[in-house]
Amino acid sequence: MQREAGLAAHSAEEPNRRDFIVIAAQAFAGVGAAMALWPFISQMNPDASTQAAASIDVDLSPVKVGQAITVSWRGKPVFIRHRTPEEIKAALATPIAELPDKSARNDDLPERAPATDANRTKKGHENWLIMVGICTHLGCIPKGQTMSDAKGDFGGWFCPCHGSHYDTAGRIRKGPAPRNLEVPPYSFASDTKIKIG
Amino acid sequence: MIGAMTGKRVRVAAAVVALAATAALGALAANAAGESVHIDRQKWTFGGMFGHYDDAQLQRGFKVFVDVCAKCHSIKRLYFRNLAQSGGPSFPEAAVKSLAATYEVDAAPNDEGKVLKRPAILTDAFPGPFKNEQEARFVQNGALPPDLSLITRARGIDAGTPFYVLPYVMARDIVSGYQEAGSDYVYAYITGYKPPPAGMKLADFMNYNVAFPGHQTAMANPFVAGDGLVKYDDGTPPTVDNYARDVVAFLSWLGDPTLEERKRMGLLVIGYLLLTALLLGLAKRRVWSSVH
Amino acid sequence: MATHHESTYRPKTRIEKWLDDRLPLPRMMHGQFVDFPTPRNINYLWTTGGLLTFFLVAQIATGIVLAMHFIPSAGDAFNSVEHIRRDVNYGWLLRNMHAVGASMFFIAVYIHIARGLYYGSYKAPREVLWIIGVVILLLMMATAFMGYSLPWGQMSFWAVTVITNLFSSVDAIIPGLGTRIVQWLWGGYSVSGTTLTRFYALHYLMPFVIVGAVALHIWALHVVGQNNPTGLEIKTASDSVPMSPYAVMKDIFALSMFIILFAWFVFYVPDYLGHPDNYIEANPLSTPPHIVPEWYFLPYYAILRAIPDKLLGVVAMFASILILLFAPWLDTSRVRSAKYRPIYKWFFFLFLITVVALGYLGSKPPEGAYVFWARVFTAYYFLHFLVVMPIVGVIESPTPLPRSITESVLGKSGSSVRVGAPAAPERR
């Protein structure tokens, strides 16, 4: 009799799942499980060896005036041209209003900076032009690095794929490419050494 | 009483007896007679739950490696950039860059197709002394000095523990977090060069070593020149024993560079798990309280 | 007998009703994992199923992310594992979890099987459940074997060489066939990168086959219901509790404790259960002094080497696992649980000692006294199934069983242990 009463009383009383200890335990377990997820996501980020190769040092001393070299940075070709005074003059003489893309496209400068020759180079080192050699149209590598290459109508670079012409500051002048060639982040460690990236 | 002999009680009794026996026998020396060589355990800064590397020791160890071992051994998994990263020797990056530049590595083929040399940079691997295995063997009378990048992980100690002591030894090693058997062995090996016992005939080009299985090893004593062989500039006594400890610590780091992060994270994770398990245990009892 | 438990799920919202009419997955989940009646007296040995499910998921998750970095070629495999250990973000952690996770998986599965053997969980009507379990064990062993080959260390290479070479013993039955089989497995005339690459493909595949087998295993379990330490079936409502929250809370608690053990190995002694020789790159021209498999294969390895004949050794090794399949029919006891079998329980402990002893002997070189004892324990291993199980079941007088699960929980004093009502009304 007593037991039946106990049974009846008890079937009404269910374990109170809203108990604090149960909630706390579930919260800890849940947070732990969520934190455990992070390594699985993070492992897809660039690893240490890739990050180490994120910047490269380039020695500019072998590059004579009028010469250009191409180096590989983060898997992309980077054009380094030691510009002649004529090339620099031609770049400076161009009014910004004539440019299809008026932005500098320099990773070291803010988005809105105008595409002046000064904004495409480093102060005191205007004879050096350093840009990512990937056409901003559909990704071909423009010609113009070697002596025998076509340089297009503006003396800079010419993309053979769809006929984009870049000038001596790497800015798009004619053709389907929408943007000037990208200037990567770089700095001069000395007059003859730069670090890209 | 049959009733008292429930399966659970029998199991518990058997387990207690087994534990008591192994604990009692655990007091016996772990080393049994036989072919296994006795290797002492050393005290390392990186052992145990709170282990960490001593940066200064790793730097000295690197110096010992370069001055003594690098003539014959490569460490191809060391990249110069690793010398500057945290959790390791933590040399200043500029110093590592200059050091790297004193080494030469193969450049990419030039316009003529020739492979010239260029100074190494941070992303290059540490160059080894030989072009390939064949050249190494040629110079070393047929023996191949192994790459040492993983040597402390690739060696262990077979203490010849008798089976009745083994559960105790295993439990003790697991609970104390013992992972340094390889380091203990390499230390014993490079300090294990002694004159061979009377009457023992060594094969050609072989050296007697107390730690090496079989006791005859092709490698000669690297520290035969004795104390003072390597100059330390941080005041540490330049003794052979310190050279051995420092270079083994360096190689231990090279084989396990993420040790510090691993043990640090382990502390946090296990602490969190203990707390969570406690809460879950209480929660389980709360939920089941209406049933028991 | 708890069969075909009907879900008491009632869809509450319009969307729930819409889904319930088209694909009653929530109903099935509710019926099978929320209000499913589980015996109220199952002890912590019954949490191994949950542990195993967790570790299957964990191995698959860590395996897939490792596969994003691992390169399955002879020249690159070892280097890619080192790249994971050194450069990949948290690579060292994921790799440790995967390697240690395999060992944890086997610890759990061996406890799970021992539990089944002790409490007679293989006896009718759970024979199919048991058989599927043995199939899962075989799939796990194949997966683990191939997985261990992937780092392409010395032990990886030589363990594969030894174990695949065993199939050449078929030459003793049909000359030439064994060698052909071995070359087919290798994809060449010796173990090579070709072997590694195909083992990688299969190692990635098998866990999903295991998932399928586990689904069948759980299905078979839910048809017949779980066993419990008394071996009695659920008869009344007071014998059982709904799975959620009771069994679920117990499982999660047990999992948290097991994960502490897991974490201890992952963070403090990750290489303890492995072999140092596997940190040496595979060298086909240099055999390590002692080739040993991973610890979970040691008992079978001991049995293999105990038999002096090559073919019979291979047969004995496979037989030692396949014999489990016949346990439901070899065991003649009328009583399920060894808790009530005073004679058999001693033989069971002898069996556990035998398996542990064989594991130890498998790690030792096959010389001297080790050979003798390996043969002794191999003999008992098979005797246990072929002689002890049939005979003891017949001659033994079991101790009295409780009248019900409820009674076994209430105890002799008939104390006011309250009977827990299921959270939702039971429909039988």
Side-chain angles (χ1 to χ4, degrees), chain B:
Chain B
M1 285 270 296
I2 297 283
M5 266 191 44
T6 61
K8 180 172 171 157
R9 292 206 189 134
V10 168
R11 275 201 311 290
V12 170
V16 168
V17 167
L19 261 172
T22 51
L25 292 166
L28 293 176
N31 188 31
E35 296 131 350
S36 48
V37 177
H38 177 72
I39 307 286
D40 281 326
R41 294 193 178 186
Q42 305 299 324
K43 199 147 180 357
W44 303 104
T45 63
F46 47 89
M49 256 186 88
F50 305 101
H52 61 280
Y53 293 116
D54 176 356
D55 289 359
Q57 182 178 43
L58 297 186
Q59 294 185 2
R60 292 194 304 272
F62 176 63
K63 184 166 207 287
V64 172
F65 177 83
V66 168
D67 288 354
V68 178
C69 322
K71 291 182 195 38
C72 305
H73 288 282
S74 59
I75 39 172
K76 64 186 182 186
R77 298 189 198 282
L78 176 73
Y79 289 83
F80 284 102
R81 59 180 167 86
N82 299 135
L83 291 169
Q85 74 196 19
S86 68
S90 307
F91 286 109
E93 191 175 292
V96 179
K97 253 189 175 162
S98 328
L99 173 73
T102 66
Y103 286 86
E104 283 196 325
V105 294
D106 284 345
N110 67 7
D111 293 335
E112 294 168 29
K114 284 210 187 62
V115 173
L116 303 171
K117 293 283 189 193
R118 62 163 174 79
I121 55 176
L122 285 178
T123 49
D124 286 321
F126 196 86
F130 304 114
K131 275 201 283 289
N132 46 52
E133 180 184 325
Q134 289 77 0
E135 188 187 31
R137 285 190 187 278
F138 177 67
V139 172
Q140 304 293 340
N141 300 309
L144 176 66
D147 182 276
L148 296 183
S149 308
L150 289 166
I151 197 75
T152 59
R153 303 248 51 81
R155 295 291 182 272
I157 298 175
D158 177 12
T161 323
F163 69 90
Y164 44 86
V165 186
L166 195 56
Y168 164 76
V169 168
M170 285 175 67
R172 185 196 65 194
D173 285 348
I174 291 170
V175 170
S176 65
Y178 178 64
Q179 277 247 115
E180 299 78 48
S183 310
D184 291 336
Y185 170 79
V186 176
Y187 170 83
Y189 175 74
I190 58 179
T191 55
Y193 287 93
K194 305 273 181 291
M200 178 175 187
K201 187 85 171 54
L202 285 174
D204 285 347
F205 305 120
M206 289 302 209
N207 305 275
Y208 182 79
N209 187 295
V210 300
F212 191 73
H215 300 300
Q216 296 200 41
T217 181
M219 172 169 153
N221 184 356
F223 301 124
V224 70
D227 295 349
L229 170 65
V230 177
K231 305 234 174 322
Y232 279 160
D233 41 21
D234 65 350
T236 309
T239 61
V240 165
D241 190 66
N242 278 342
Y243 299 154
R245 288 182 196 283
D246 293 346
V247 79
V248 170
F250 169 74
L251 291 174
S252 304
W253 164 78
L254 186 53
D256 193 5
T258 58
L259 177 144
E260 292 194 342
E261 190 188 356
R262 169 166 63 80
K263 294 195 181 194
R264 215 171 32 232
M265 199 184 289
L267 205 54
L268 294 170
V269 167
I270 289 179
Y272 189 86
L273 282 172
L274 283 169
L275 186 52
T276 306
L278 177 70
L279 290 173
L280 283 169
L282 293 172
K284 177 256 173 190
R285 289 173 74 126
R286 189 73 188 79
V287 164
W288 278 78
S289 60
S290 54
V291 175
H292 286 318

Side-chain angles (χ1 to χ4, degrees), chain C residues 116-189:
Chain C
L117 286 170
Y118 186 80
Y119 291 108
S121 305
Y122 49 83
K123 294 171 82 62
R126 297 182 177 89
E127 305 95 318
V128 173
L129 171 66
W130 178 258
I131 288 169
I132 298 174
V134 177
V135 167
I136 294 173
L137 175 65
L138 287 165
L139 289 171
M140 278 176 65
M141 292 169 71
T143 308
F145 170 70
M146 292 187 294
Y148 191 65
S149 76
L150 300 181
W152 215 237
Q154 274 287 68
M155 267 319 162
S156 305
F157 181 91
W158 290 100
V160 169
T161 302
V162 166
I163 298 300
T164 48
N165 257 321
L166 291 178
F167 286 92
S168 63
S169 59
V170 172
D171 280 342
I173 307 175
I174 301 174
L177 180 59
T179 312
R180 294 263 289 276
I181 292 175
V182 174
Q183 289 177 0
W184 174 77
L185 284 172
W186 287 342
Y189 304 106

Side-chain angles (χ1 to χ4, degrees), chain B residues 2 5 7 11 76-77 81 153 170 174-175 179 254-255 262-263 266-267 277 281 287-288 291-292, chain C residues 40 44 78-79 85-87 92 118 246 249 253 264 267-268 271-272 276 281 345 349 399 417-418:
Chain B
I2 297 283
M5 266 191 44
R11 275 201 311 290
K76 64 186 182 186
R77 298 189 198 282
R81 59 180 167 86
R153 303 248 51 81
M170 285 175 67
I174 291 170
V175 170
Q179 277 247 115
L254 186 53
R262 169 166 63 80
K263 294 195 181 194
L267 205 54
V287 164
W288 278 78
V291 175
H292 286 318
Chain C
R40 62 189 289 180
Y44 277 95
F78 192 93
N79 291 334
R85 285 183 75 231
R86 292 160 191 274
D87 287 332
W92 58 269
Y118 186 80
Y246 298 95
M249 283 306 290
F253 169 58
W264 184 263
F267 289 101
Y268 291 109
D271 296 320
Y272 191 87
E281 297 180 59
K345 71 166 50 133
F349 290 124
T399 60
V417 172
R418 288 164 298 183

